[in-house]
Amino acid sequence: MTTTPSPPTDEPDPTLQAAGELLRALASPVRLGIVRELSGGGKYVHELVTALGVSQPLVSQHLRVLRTSRIVTARRQARETRYTLTDDHVAHIVLDAIRHVQE
């Protein structure tokens, strides 16, 4: 007995869809810079502002996108919030991309 293949759907593979969402979340020079800076360890917003040379509201806006995408986590420490990468996998992607364009 032969089976009939199921008809193609317009829905992408869920894994590919999730990877696409991850890459969309990283699709900003400021967000790439944030991930690069956090690859060396956790930082406060004012440290990211200094390292990236952009305004505090802009850094906060991009951190919000990265938090929503679960790329970074935030931990309140006294009056400030310290941001860290959720895991190192994303840092490898970003650092490899930066190295690639520098070649």
Side-chain angles (χ1 to χ4, degrees):
M1 173 156 105
T2 61
T3 59
T4 307
S6 56
T9 66
D10 289 337
E11 293 297 315
D13 176 296
T15 301
L16 296 177
Q17 188 165 347
E21 290 170 12
L22 171 67
L23 293 174
R24 273 191 294 283
L26 294 172
S28 159
V30 174
R31 291 194 290 268
L32 292 172
I34 290 170
V35 171
R36 181 190 63 201
E37 292 302 317
L38 294 179
S39 70
K43 297 212 180 324
Y44 297 104
V45 173
H46 69 87
E47 294 173 310
L48 293 169
V49 167
T50 301
L52 299 172
V54 296
S55 70
Q56 183 273 324
L58 186 61
V59 169
S60 293
Q61 175 185 346
H62 286 287
L63 282 167
R64 191 169 26 260
V65 171
L66 294 171
R67 283 181 68 189
T68 301
S69 300
R70 295 190 304 266
I71 293 170
V72 301
T73 56
R75 175 172 286 156
R76 190 96 172 140
Q77 293 181 336
R79 293 176 32 167
E80 292 187 284
T81 302
R82 187 167 180 85
Y83 291 89
T84 57
L85 292 175
T86 303
D87 63 54
D88 292 335
H89 292 103
V90 174
H92 291 292
I93 293 167
V94 169
L95 296 174
D96 285 347
I98 292 169
R99 280 189 219 104
H100 177 75
V101 298
Q102 290 174 334
E103 293 178 348

